[in-house]
Amino acid sequence: MSRRDDLSPEDRRIWARVAGSVTPSKPKKAARIIPGAAVVDPPPAPMPTKPSRPRGVAPAWTAPPPGPARPRGLPEELEPRRQRRLSRERDPIEAKIDLHGFGRFQAHDALTAFLMGAQARGYRSVLVVTGQGRRGGTGVIRASVHEWLQAPALRGVVSGFAPAARKHGGDGALYVTIRRG
């Protein structure tokens, strides 16, 4: 029996996540060593030359090359006025997710899917309930959710977040505002 057959489906999912996050390094070519030959460094690459143009002629404008979309900034703390409007329910909380009972990886996957779905539906603000952790300590999900919301995968989705009001979960919940899709 091979080692792969010993893994549970959960272990396979975790391993796939870890393996997918690693990029292999570029292999370096081994130097050819000839006995008795002197070691010589390779010649430097020639510097590219700039094409010349007549004086007084402005270069033609060219569009910048299409590249990946400009990365969005990190989510910011919500403005106090916006946070107050959410806590008083003057701005609607359009959806809610409760992460109680999830493991760390499951909660991360569920939160990512929930926020992307909320953006696709055109929601502007949602409530994320993390819980406060066991025995008054900071729970694993609560400690990780800030990092998840600021991760590159959600920068295009989350515009800001702030602790929720007591009636919405207090320290164990967050208001999250969503960028327009």
Side-chain angles (χ1 to χ4, degrees):
M1 187 180 252
S2 70
R3 290 191 54 81
R4 271 195 194 262
D5 295 336
D6 296 342
L7 298 177
S8 70
E10 178 68 12
D11 291 339
R12 288 175 204 255
R13 189 180 69 75
I14 292 170
W15 179 250
R17 267 191 114 165
V18 171
S21 68
V22 176
T23 56
S25 63
K26 292 182 180 179
K28 294 181 181 179
K29 278 190 166 180
R32 178 176 274 174
I33 299 174
I34 301 171
V39 178
V40 178
D41 288 333
M47 296 295 289
T49 59
K50 203 177 195 184
S52 63
R53 67 171 196 269
R55 288 189 149 210
V57 178
W61 182 84
T62 58
R70 184 176 62 87
R72 303 264 179 137
L74 288 174
E76 300 174 359
E77 189 74 21
L78 286 184
E79 298 170 358
R81 184 174 177 197
R82 172 78 177 189
Q83 187 174 356
R84 192 168 39 252
R85 289 183 63 82
L86 286 167
S87 68
R88 293 180 181 168
E89 297 178 359
R90 296 231 171 93
D91 284 349
I93 297 172
E94 297 166 306
K96 172 183 165 181
I97 184 170
D98 189 346
L99 300 174
H100 282 101
F102 284 97
R104 181 176 183 192
F105 294 116
Q106 294 168 333
H108 185 214
D109 292 343
L111 179 64
T112 302
F114 171 75
L115 292 174
M116 289 183 168
Q119 184 183 39
R121 290 182 190 89
Y123 294 164
R124 300 292 294 140
S125 56
V126 295
L127 182 68
V128 176
V129 179
T130 61
Q132 293 189 356
R134 293 188 179 157
R135 289 169 262 163
T138 304
V140 174
I141 296 171
R142 181 178 166 205
S144 302
V145 76
H146 291 277
E147 178 184 325
W148 297 342
L149 292 173
Q150 293 176 345
L154 291 177
R155 281 191 192 156
V157 178
V158 177
S159 65
F161 57 91
R166 189 169 182 177
K167 67 181 174 183
H168 290 134
D171 292 335
L174 294 169
Y175 297 126
V176 178
T177 55
I178 309 292
R179 295 185 195 275
R180 294 190 192 276

